[in-house]
Each structure stands twice: as C-alpha cells, then as structure tokens.
Amino acid sequence: MIAAKPTDPAWQPCDPVGAHLLAGLDGFEVGEDVSLVAEIGPRTRVGGRRFRLFLATPDLGRTALPMISGLLSPVRAGDHAWIEVTGYRARLPLADGRTVDVPEGILLRTLTALAERLPAPGSLIVEYESPGFAVTAQALAAGVPPIATPLGGMLFAAGRGALRDHTAAAGARAGRRRLQGERPALESDDDQAQEWARRTLAALQAFMARSGELDWYVQAQTRPVAEAAIAALTRQLASS
C-alpha cells in the first residue's frame, strides 16, 4: 500500500493502538490489493474526533479525496459510543486526474470494519444525502422499510440490524438525513431480540406484497435486499 502523508497538520495517521475507535483501521484491507488509509483530525466541541478514510492500492497510490468522512464519539467508559459517516464519495479522483468508482463490496467491508470497532451497544450512523446513496433516499421517501434499502441492507449485513431513519441522532449534525444502525438483534436469543426479528420480518413481508406499486427502478434495487433480509430473519426465528 502507498499511503501519502497528510498535507494538513491537523490530520494525522491513525495510531494502531490509539485510544480512539479507529485504532488499527489504517492499512485494513477492504478489497484485493485495496486498503484503507485512515486519518484522525481535529476534535469537535463535544470531545469527539473527525476522521477520514481514503483508499489506496500499490499501483494507483492513495485517492486524492477520502471515500468516507465522519465523526467519532469520545471514548469514555460507560458512554454509548457512536461512529457517524457524514460524507461518502462513490467516485474518487486519483492523483493523476483519473477517477475510480467504489465497488459495493468495498463500501460494505468498510462499514463492517467500522461497526466491528464499536463496543456494545454502539451506533453506526450513516448519512444518505450523498449522491452515492441516492437510491436509498428515493426508496425511503417512497416508504420502503430502512432494512430493505441499499444502505440499510449494508448496515444489516455489517451487523447493525435495528435501524432508525431520522434527521437527528446522538452526535449527528441536525438536519441531515441518516440511518442509524444499532447492535444486531440477530446475535441474541432474548425475547426482545426475537420480537424485533418478528416485527421486522412482518414489515418486510408487507413491503414485498405492495412493492409492485413502486417505481420499477426502486423495486429492482430494494426487492433483492428485502429478500436477503427475510431469509436471514426466517433462519434466526426458526433456530430460536
């Protein structure tokens, strides 16, 4: 991996053992010969930290702009930790002027890596106003359950199944549309988790029954996501 040094002194490479939620993420492989370059930036007024994630390959070097920008909650014992993605670029410029599109698999592996660094019951919050999440925004506006949207499906696959669609969240900037994913219900066998799974499954089945009324493109982008979630929830309930 070729990781150029930050040009802004306010941004520094992530310390592999640092006391922040991204410790160990710098150099994390998210694709074949594709790794993350993780940088920590200035503190926020509430004590959190800004961060950004670039992509890098041995052949192309580091992207000229970050794929993901965001905020980290302060790491304090007993606090509800969160990571918020405040910006996402689905197309990234390179130093030589060319651009590359971010494959869905790389984004999923990146979100999964972020989710895995959150202690229970941490939240992964992702804005969906960026052009790369336009389908999710269109689907949510049409009443599609969050878990059946492209972004919601990724958060579910990344281990954050209990989703909320809202415009304000702990640590988030007011007014921005975002999905907030909580600790997964699928990993627990308690009554509350099973009830969540049953409610979510019912909502997905109701969506599938009425999805023919939606715009064809929205159907094509959300029905496969819903079907995958239905299969996962059905397996969970059958094994409980």
Side-chain angles (χ1 to χ4, degrees):
M1 180 188 74
I2 301 174
K5 293 183 179 180
T7 56
D8 186 339
W11 293 88
Q12 297 298 324
C14 285
D15 184 338
V17 293
H20 53 72
L21 293 172
L22 297 193
L25 197 61
D26 189 52
F28 186 85
E29 191 169 290
V30 291
E32 186 174 355
D33 290 330
V34 182
S35 300
L36 295 176
V37 176
E39 294 180 356
I40 293 290
R43 293 191 179 276
T44 66
R45 287 178 293 179
V46 295
R49 297 291 295 271
R50 302 186 186 281
F51 76 93
R52 56 191 187 186
L53 302 176
F54 298 80
L55 296 179
T57 74
D59 295 333
L60 301 176
R62 191 180 84 166
T63 55
L65 292 174
M67 173 181 65
I68 281 177
S69 302
L71 301 170
L72 304 174
S73 67
V75 179
R76 291 189 289 259
D79 284 356
H80 182 102
W82 47 263
I83 295 175
E84 183 192 356
V85 174
T86 58
Y88 165 65
R89 292 182 177 90
R91 176 168 292 180
L92 294 170
L94 301 174
D96 62 8
R98 290 180 294 167
T99 59
V100 293
D101 293 326
V102 178
E104 185 175 284
I106 285 179
L107 175 59
L108 174 57
R109 283 188 284 274
T110 301
L111 293 177
T112 301
L114 291 174
E116 289 174 345
R117 281 158 174 76
L118 282 165
S123 300
L124 179 58
I125 308 162
V126 183
E127 61 82 22
Y128 59 86
E129 293 188 343
S130 296
F133 294 135
V135 176
T136 290
Q138 185 179 358
L140 289 170
V144 175
I147 199 171
T149 67
L151 174 57
M154 285 191 187
L155 290 173
F156 180 56
R160 286 300 185 270
L163 300 173
R164 287 191 289 163
D165 175 22
H166 58 166
T167 57
R173 291 181 293 170
R176 292 184 63 82
R177 296 177 296 171
R178 61 188 66 79
L179 284 182
Q180 177 172 336
E182 301 291 345
R183 187 80 175 185
L186 290 182
E187 293 184 0
S188 174
D189 60 358
D190 60 37
D191 292 342
Q192 185 176 5
Q194 296 307 308
E195 177 58 26
W196 172 84
R198 284 190 288 270
R199 289 198 314 270
T200 305
L201 181 59
L204 286 167
Q205 290 169 334
F207 161 69
M208 292 296 286
R210 65 175 177 80
S211 61
E213 304 170 2
L214 297 174
D215 174 85
W216 183 89
Y217 183 69
V218 173
Q219 288 186 55
Q221 298 298 311
T222 57
R223 284 180 62 90
V225 181
E227 289 168 352
I230 287 172
L233 292 168
T234 300
R235 289 193 298 269
Q236 167 66 16
L237 292 170
S239 64
S240 63

